[in-house]
Each structure stands twice: as structure tokens, then as C-alpha cells.
């Protein structure tokens, strides 16, 4: 049984106040088994990536072990604090510029070619000035 290899140990941990039950320690870090790691506080590198996060320079605060029943092997994964994780792709100045350019393209009215400072609503297909001008033009044509 797993309990024989990794006995429950009450130890202070960085993700909670006071001592928590761990499965001992591994490489100087609290060892946790799958299921006893608080999933809202700790995540493996893969779990962080699934959340769009990365460790962000922090050291692992615990080690998760997973026992593979078929092979009988035990694998270890570093656990990181979700609170200290950072978004995978931080916005660089170049990315902001690219985004601004993409938005600028969507702000230019295809009818009058002006940048009005807002994204042209796809439902209108042109800026509000042109919509108004089109409506006025139609009214004038109808009145004529
Ligand atoms: Zn326009």
C-alpha cells in the first residue's frame, strides 16, 4: 500500500496557515499524493499551462507523486503556488504595437477611410458619420 512508503506527516506548508498533512518530504519539499494537494492553491507545470499560467520564476513549493498502477512506478512532479503564477505570454511592447495595428485596421472606415477612434461595427460596415450621411442622402433622394 502507498501508506507504507509515504506515511502521513503533519508539516508546516507555504500554501496554508499551520501544519497540513503531507506524505513526508522529497528533495526538501513537502511531498503530496494525488488528491491531497489543494487544487485551488497548487498546480503542476502542466496544470498551470492548462490555466494559461507559468511558474513565473518561483521555485516549486511541494512535490506531487503519482503512482502508476500498471507499471508500478512512481513519478514526481513539482507543484507551484497558483497565486504566484504568471500569465504564459506577457504582453511585450512589440505585441502591444501589433495589437494596436490590428485594432487600427478595424477602426478605419472603409467608406471614408478615416480613423474615428473606435472599431467599425461589422453590422454597420462603416463609421457612424457615414451611416448618418448615408441616411441623410437616402432621405434627400426620397424627398427629391
Ligand atoms: Zn466613414
Amino acid at each position: 500500500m502507498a501508506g507504507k512508503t509515504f506515511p502521513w506527516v503533519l508539516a508546516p506548508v507555504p500554501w496554508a496557515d499551520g501544519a497540513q498533512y503531507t506524505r513526508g518530504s522529497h528533495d526538501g519539499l513537502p511531498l503530496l499524493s494525488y488528491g491531497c494537494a489543494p487544487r485551488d492553491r497548487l498546480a503542476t507545470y502542466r496544470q498551470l499551462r492548462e490555466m494559461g499560467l507559468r511558474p513565473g520564476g518561483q521555485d516549486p513549493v511541494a512535490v506531487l507523486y503519482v503512482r502508476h498502477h500498471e507499471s508500478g512506478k512512481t513519478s514526481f512532479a513539482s507543484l507551484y503556488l497558483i497565486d504566484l503564477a504568471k500569465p504564459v505570454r506577457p504582453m511585450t511592447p512589440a505585441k502591444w504595437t501589433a495589437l494596436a495595428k490590428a485594432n487600427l485596421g478595424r477602426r478605419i472606415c472603409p467608406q471614408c477611410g478615416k480613423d474615428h477612434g473606435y472599431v467599425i461595427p461589422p453590422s454597420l460596415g462603416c463609421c457612424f458619420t457615414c451611416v448618418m450621411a448615408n441616411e441623410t442622402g437616402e432621405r434627400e433622394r426620397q424627398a427629391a
Side-chain angles (χ1 to χ4, degrees):
M1 286 300 285
K4 283 180 183 171
T5 320
F6 302 111
W8 290 100
V9 176
L10 202 54
V13 292
W15 60 89
D17 293 329
Q20 300 286 311
Y21 278 104
T22 69
R23 308 308 294 264
S25 63
H26 182 82
D27 290 340
L29 293 171
L31 182 66
L32 300 173
S33 57
Y34 201 79
C36 82
R39 294 200 64 150
D40 58 329
R41 305 301 312 278
L42 298 174
T44 64
Y45 187 82
R46 257 187 65 191
Q47 288 168 338
L48 284 177
R49 289 306 290 249
E50 282 166 13
M51 291 183 265
L53 299 171
R54 62 191 170 88
Q58 67 171 299
D59 291 322
V61 294
V63 177
L64 177 80
Y65 79 84
V66 182
R67 190 178 290 268
H68 299 276
H69 291 284
E70 283 175 23
S71 63
K73 287 178 185 165
T74 303
S75 60
F76 297 90
S78 298
L79 283 170
Y80 301 90
L81 285 172
I82 296 172
D83 286 350
L84 295 181
K86 294 190 170 68
V88 170
R89 286 179 202 83
M91 288 298 280
T92 60
K95 281 178 180 169
W96 282 117
T97 307
L99 184 71
K101 274 184 188 162
N103 279 336
L104 181 68
R106 291 163 59 213
R107 270 166 27 194
I108 299 210
C109 172
Q111 196 166 324
C112 64
K114 285 182 190 160
D115 173 12
H116 294 276
Y118 54 83
V119 173
I120 303 300
S123 57
L124 295 178
C126 58
C127 71
F128 295 119
T129 312
C130 288
V131 170
M132 297 294 279
N134 292 346
E135 284 179 359
T136 310
E138 266 171 41
R139 237 178 280 132
E140 280 168 2
R141 273 195 298 279
Q142 283 167 4

